[in-house]
Structures are given as structure tokens and as C-alpha cells.
Amino acid sequence: MKKFLTVFTALCVLIASLMLSSCAASGLSEDEIRTVCKDLVEQSYALNDVYYGAGLPYTKDDAILEELLGFSPDDGGLVLDYYPVTADAAFQSEDEIRAATKAVFSPAMCEMLYEIAFSGVSTEDESKVAFARYIQQGDYLTVRTGLDTNAVDVGRTYDFAKMTVLIDEAERIRVEVPSEVDGKPSVNVRITLIKTENGWRLDSPTY
């Protein structure tokens, strides 16, 4: 009888441990992790172009420039460093960009991206400087010209059907996903998500 109880107890412990190991620390199943990650990554595509790519399209329309500047641009003779974004641009204000970024990326990533977009960055000795990509001027969001010159290729997409979960913790998830660039197989990318008070957010770039 004693031997039976010992075996029974050991079996119960084994079953309990298996049940615990089958429950993800994040509380999400693998399919749920896939869905959350896929949704966030797909939302990041438009933001990648804003922060790393050619930037939002802009207009040199004389009437718009006159309203922005408060004087006539003399039929296109004036050359500016920043021009208003077009009416059909994905974002029409700094606030819109910030809100969309906050809905996708972690607070730490947001701060880094906001600096790139709205403050500009430089090396410690200021030997290399990248000016702000965007400046809100009154009602107009303006974008710096020439961003396409040093734009990063932001055409990477992901095959989430082949995603692998590497780390699954209460407040952090890390996955590895095969990617493609311009329709051709590329590297496997490791993507980190962290849990915030507003839900899961990307804590790594996706471009």
C-alpha cells in the first residue's frame, strides 16, 4: 500500500508539472502569441517608413506654402529644408505619429524613435548630425527633404506561419520569424515583445 501511495504521489507530481509547463508564463498560447506579434509587426510597416525610410511625401504647392510661411514663395523660387506633408500622407501631425507609435512599440523604443523623428540625433562629439525628420509648424506637419538619400530598405515582411517562440515569460516574449525582402528569402529575425500597462508592445525594430 505504501509503495502504491508513493507511486501515485510521484505520478500526481509529474502530471502537475506537465500541466504547469504546458501553460505559457505570459498566459498566451502559441497561436495567440503569433496573432499578437503579427498584428503589431504589420502595424509597424508604415512607421518604419516614417522613421527609417524615405519619410512621408511632401508638397510644394504655392498656396499651401504661402499659408504656412505667411508670405508668397514666389512661384517655387524659394527652397526650403522642410515642406508640408501631402494631404494624403499616412500621418498629418506629430501627435498622430506619436499615438500610432505608442500603440505598437514599447516606451523605450518610443523614446528612441521620437528622438529620431522630432529632435534629431548626433554622435557624442557632434561630428555626425542627423536633423529632425519632422517639424510641426502650426497646423502643418513638415518633413525634411532628402530623406530618401540615406533611407533604409524597409520592405521586410515576415512568415509568421513558421514563427518559433524562444522565450515566454510573464512580461517578455521573444520569437524568431523567417523574413523576406522584396519577395526573396532573407534572415530569421528575433523579435521581442514586452507587456505594458496598455498591452503587448514591440521592443525591437522590424525593418
Side-chain angles (χ1 to χ4, degrees), residues 101-172:
T101 305
K102 188 177 180 181
V104 174
F105 290 102
S106 69
M109 281 289 295
C110 284
E111 288 306 310
M112 181 190 73
L113 293 171
Y114 294 160
E115 186 175 24
I116 290 172
F118 309 121
S119 301
V121 294
S122 65
T123 56
E124 189 172 344
D125 62 0
E126 297 188 351
S127 59
K128 293 183 179 180
V129 178
F131 296 102
R133 284 181 151 238
Y134 305 93
I135 296 177
Q136 185 74 42
Q137 300 188 50
D139 293 332
Y140 289 98
L141 176 66
T142 63
V143 57
R144 180 160 54 86
T145 61
L147 292 180
D148 56 335
T149 303
N150 298 309
V152 173
D153 185 355
V154 293
R156 187 179 304 280
T157 56
Y158 295 83
D159 185 358
F160 283 96
K162 299 178 181 177
M163 182 195 80
T164 301
V165 178
L166 302 177
I167 297 173
D168 186 1
E169 298 174 342
E171 297 186 353
R172 184 172 70 114

Side-chain angles (χ1 to χ4, degrees), residues 26-47:
S26 64
L28 302 178
S29 67
E30 184 171 329
D31 283 343
E32 288 172 329
I33 291 173
R34 190 189 331 276
T35 298
V36 170
C37 189
K38 183 174 183 290
D39 180 56
L40 290 172
V41 168
E42 290 182 348
Q43 289 184 66
S44 76
Y45 291 154
L47 294 168

Side-chain angles (χ1 to χ4, degrees), residues 14-87:
L14 177 61
I15 292 173
S17 65
L18 289 173
M19 290 177 65
L20 286 172
S21 65
S22 66
C23 296
S26 64
L28 302 178
S29 67
E30 184 171 329
D31 283 343
E32 288 172 329
I33 291 173
R34 190 189 331 276
T35 298
V36 170
C37 189
K38 183 174 183 290
D39 180 56
L40 290 172
V41 168
E42 290 182 348
Q43 289 184 66
S44 76
Y45 291 154
L47 294 168
N48 286 342
D49 197 42
V50 168
Y51 289 109
Y52 303 110
L56 296 173
Y58 58 83
T59 178
K60 293 185 177 181
D61 180 87
D62 284 347
I64 294 176
L65 290 178
E66 183 170 357
E67 185 174 344
L68 170 67
L69 299 170
F71 59 87
S72 173
D74 297 324
D75 299 322
L78 183 67
V79 178
L80 302 175
D81 292 324
Y82 292 82
Y83 284 91
V85 301
T86 59

